[in-house]
Amino acid sequence: MDLGIAGKWALVCGASKGLGLGCAQALAGEGVNVVMVARGVETLEAAAAALCASAGRASKVQLLTVAADITTAAGREAALAAHSGYDIVINNAAGPPPGSFRDWDREAWLKAIDTNMLTPIELIKATLDGMLERGFGRIVNITSSAVKAPIDILGLSNGARSGLTGFVAGLARNPDIAARGVTINNLLPGKFDTDRLAATMQGAAQKTGKPLQDIRAMQQAQIPAQRFGTAQEFGAVCAFLCSQQAAYLTGQNVLLDGGAYPGTY
Ligand code: NAP
């Protein structure tokens, strides 16, 4: 299926590895020009070079990189200056650390809210009006399955991401936006095989004294699909949310978790 977005411009945050890179790859594969943002310049340049070298449409699109911290005003300015008039924005940054609510002070909360709620809102604010003027826009916020089923040790994530989810639910349904070609959705990852998941499992192995492969096997066994998702699978769904075909899909929380969420709805 041709997603009908070749030639559009996308800003993909957190794009040097993991889920963000999966989204950048899928969009570039659809002929979308991509501005890739991450803090670490070496990994970012290597990811962009590998994407450029790939066969197919991805090798023909324009790929720009911005090494910046998207949670800072300067970082966002640099990302927005790389191209004027983004058609697609993928909001993404590191998730907050796990822990106990007794240990989180005001600073920890403000950092989580800044990273996982206010940064996406700032980028929406900066790009939405241009999308409305051009009559086309797709905004996808990478959040977490924790929004639907909270994870006890990820309280900072549960809280900050729920704030973003509530805000987006209202904004996406505003007729001034929904009737003018712009959709805003959240994509909720369950467990995906990325560096972040590897680090979490490493932490669990150290804490429990169990071998890493046992932790991995145990976690996979809890997922009906019996495996972790891949960044490519995540990117493919993201690209569909950005497609012309998905024009009637807005204000949704799309859960991608191999069946792990146990609810009927
Ligand atoms: P990852 O493999 O660690 O990749 C994170 C990417 O984001 C990297 O490219 C990283 O590069 C970049 N990044 C992080 N903070 C940034 C910042 N402040 N500014 C710009 N770039 C930044 O993580 P992931 O697994 O793809 O996770 C992506 C998001 O999904 C996170 O918020 C995570 O909590 C959430 N999530 C993931 C899973 C999962 O199973 N993987 C499940 C639920 C939720 P630099 O470090 O160089 O900046």
Side-chain angles (χ1 to χ4, degrees), residues 26 140 187 231-243 254-256:
V140 177
L187 195 44
Q232 287 71 28
E233 289 171 318
F234 191 87
V237 177
C238 176
F240 177 74
L241 289 178
C242 296
S243 70
V254 179
L255 183 60
L256 214 55

Side-chain angles (χ1 to χ4, degrees), residues 14 16-17 19 39-40 68-70 92-95 161 189-190 192 194 196:
S16 67
K17 56 184 182 171
L19 305 180
R39 293 165 300 185
D69 183 340
I70 201 67
N92 178 37
R161 294 191 203 273
F192 278 80
T194 65
R196 172 164 167 101

Side-chain angles (χ1 to χ4, degrees), residues 48-61:
L51 194 39
C52 257
S54 67
R57 273 209 275 195
S59 60
K60 296 186 182 68
V61 300

